[in-house]
Amino acid sequence: MKQKCALLLVLVSVLVVAFGCAAFAAEKKIVVGFAQIGAESDWRVANTNSIIKACEEAGIELRFVDGQQKQENQIKALRDFITQGVDVIGFAPVVESGWDEVIEEINDAGIPLILSDRTTDIEGTDYYVTWMGSNFIEEGEKAGNWLVEYLAKNGRDKDQINIVELQGTVGSGPAIDRKKGFENILAKHPNLKITQSQTGDFTRDLGRTVMESFLKKGEKIDVLYAHNDDMALGASQAIKEAGLKPGSDIIIIGVDAVKGAFEAMVAGEMNVTVECSPLLGPQFVEAVKKIVAGESLPKITYSIEGVYPQEVAKDVIDSRQY
Ligand code: GZL
């Protein structure tokens, strides 16, 4: 009899422990490390908010690091995530090069990597599970095509057009490819020339300072092509301070489609913005869940994006989410 009681006790204890572990396993939170570029623009802030909100809603523990636009800060964050043994790493590389060593460490640690927004120049695609973001070459081409159509509509398609360009962060994917895409279009229109080009590092302040230097040269400027709206809006400040009207004396082209660009277009101070969606949070969380569940994912997912010229700004501004 005693033996039967002892056996029963052991059986019950085993069952309690088993259920306890199962319950614990079922409740174990997914832990994600995200190495963000910084908070350099309205786009980036909207991107961060989207990722944080989506992780909160999904009950995912997000360990978020703001790299302050410095590669060394992002590399340190990535190494910390490896040490912490997070389940998944999310990463938006501030520039394309200089990641080989830390990416190898992530791969050696067996932690799945999601590239968000930007990419690296590392060969092949085996080092990450999936990348989500925009086709920056296409965005540059959309900007160029809009300019060609706008000039034709205004009877200026035969004019000699001088363009100044505010580039994004030197060495970043969007800066390299938005320039490439825009120049693909200019190659077909020899009367459209980039006469001055310099980085404004995607920030409003530097956009304004560099535009001041462009204006000080005293050369004719017909168009500003800015790789993001923040630099376009900063540059418009400099244009106004020089006694000129942004949006009419100088055509203003931006990228991102942030709220500030729509406000400027409604005021007649900007002509077009090419959309680049920062709202990657839901997509990012879906990818994390699929990785943890062992499901397969596409290597690349491009955001679906439009072009918003001044004439539609008033009608759509209230529906914009960022
Ligand atoms: C583009 C993103 C760029 C935005 C800028 O996907 O990487 O970085 O265009 C931001 O506003 O700073």
Side-chain angles (χ1 to χ4, degrees):
M1 181 59 181
K2 270 189 183 165
Q3 270 179 339
K4 276 186 181 170
C5 288
L7 190 63
L8 190 62
L9 192 63
V10 167
L11 192 62
V12 168
S13 316
V14 165
L15 284 173
V16 165
V17 168
F19 275 115
C21 291
F24 175 74
E27 273 157 31
K28 184 183 174 305
K29 263 195 171 192
I30 300 173
V31 180
V32 170
F34 194 95
Q36 179 61 294
I37 289 175
E40 73 281 3
S41 61
D42 293 354
W43 188 100
R44 186 67 52 200
V45 171
N47 178 243
T48 292
N49 293 340
S50 176
I51 288 160
I52 291 174
K53 180 167 177 277
C55 287
E56 267 168 12
E57 288 169 354
I60 287 171
E61 181 184 332
L62 178 65
R63 296 179 185 168
F64 180 89
V65 173
D66 172 342
Q68 295 174 337
Q69 281 195 292
K70 289 185 173 51
Q71 181 169 39
E72 60 269 25
N73 292 347
Q74 287 194 293
I75 290 173
K76 181 182 179 312
L78 293 169
R79 288 190 164 128
D80 290 347
F81 295 148
I82 295 170
T83 310
Q84 294 159 19
V86 298
D87 297 309
V88 178
I89 290 177
F91 171 41
V94 59
V95 291
E96 291 198 332
S97 56
W99 305 101
D100 301 70
E101 213 176 297
V102 70
I103 294 292
E104 197 173 329
E105 292 164 24
I106 292 171
N107 292 167
D108 291 348
I111 300 177
L113 176 66
I114 296 174
L115 286 183
S116 163
D117 173 26
R118 298 189 187 171
T119 54
T120 78
D121 60 6
I122 295 174
E123 278 301 304
T125 59
D126 293 344
Y127 69 94
Y128 63 90
V129 176
T130 190
W131 172 82
M132 56 197 67
S134 303
N135 184 328
F136 302 129
I137 290 182
E138 203 177 270
E139 291 171 346
E141 289 174 345
K142 285 176 180 175
N145 285 323
W146 175 87
L147 178 59
V148 169
E149 286 157 28
Y150 177 86
L151 292 170
K153 259 192 285 187
N154 289 276
R156 298 181 63 186
D157 49 312
K158 299 281 183 286
D159 292 4
Q160 182 56 44
I161 299 292
N162 289 353
I163 302 163
V164 294
E165 179 184 34
L166 283 169
Q167 297 181 37
T169 302
V170 176
S172 68
I176 294 166
D177 287 350
R178 283 174 185 164
K179 182 171 188 56
K180 203 179 289 176
F182 191 70
E183 289 176 345
N184 287 348
I185 305 305
L186 264 51
K188 295 181 263 184
H189 300 272
N191 60 316
L192 307 186
K193 273 205 180 350
I194 294 178
T195 53
Q196 300 183 70
S197 181
Q198 198 176 322
T199 184
D201 206 19
F202 282 131
T203 67
R204 211 175 270 227
D205 286 351
L206 206 46
R208 177 175 170 180
T209 311
V210 174
M211 188 68 204
E212 278 167 3
S213 68
F214 287 163
L215 289 161
K216 277 205 181 88
K217 278 217 170 150
E219 296 168 357
K220 178 171 89 84
I221 298 174
D222 302 294
V223 179
L224 163 65
Y225 169 49
H227 290 183
N228 81 334
D229 293 335
D230 287 65
M231 293 189 292
L233 295 170
S236 295
Q237 204 52 46
I239 291 168
K240 283 190 248 184
E241 282 159 9
L244 297 168
K245 290 196 197 83
S248 41
D249 294 333
I250 296 180
I251 296 163
I252 310 290
I253 302 172
V255 186
D256 281 348
V258 295
K259 187 74 100 167
F262 286 86
E263 288 160 352
M265 287 194 284
V266 168
E269 296 181 352
M270 190 163 171
N271 301 87
V272 64
T273 180
V274 175
E275 187 177 30
C276 172
S277 176
L279 306 179
L280 299 173
Q283 224 173 307
F284 178 77
V285 162
E286 275 321 296
V288 167
K289 287 179 179 173
K290 286 191 169 172
I291 288 170
V292 170
E295 294 173 27
S296 64
L297 280 152
K299 267 295 171 192
I300 291 187
T301 313
Y302 284 122
S303 304
I304 297 163
E305 299 161 342
V307 179
Y308 292 92
Q310 192 183 88
E311 52 269 27
V312 305
K314 202 161 50 2
D315 298 335
V316 302
I317 189 167
D318 292 339
S319 66
R320 297 297 299 166
Q321 295 178 63
Y322 62 92

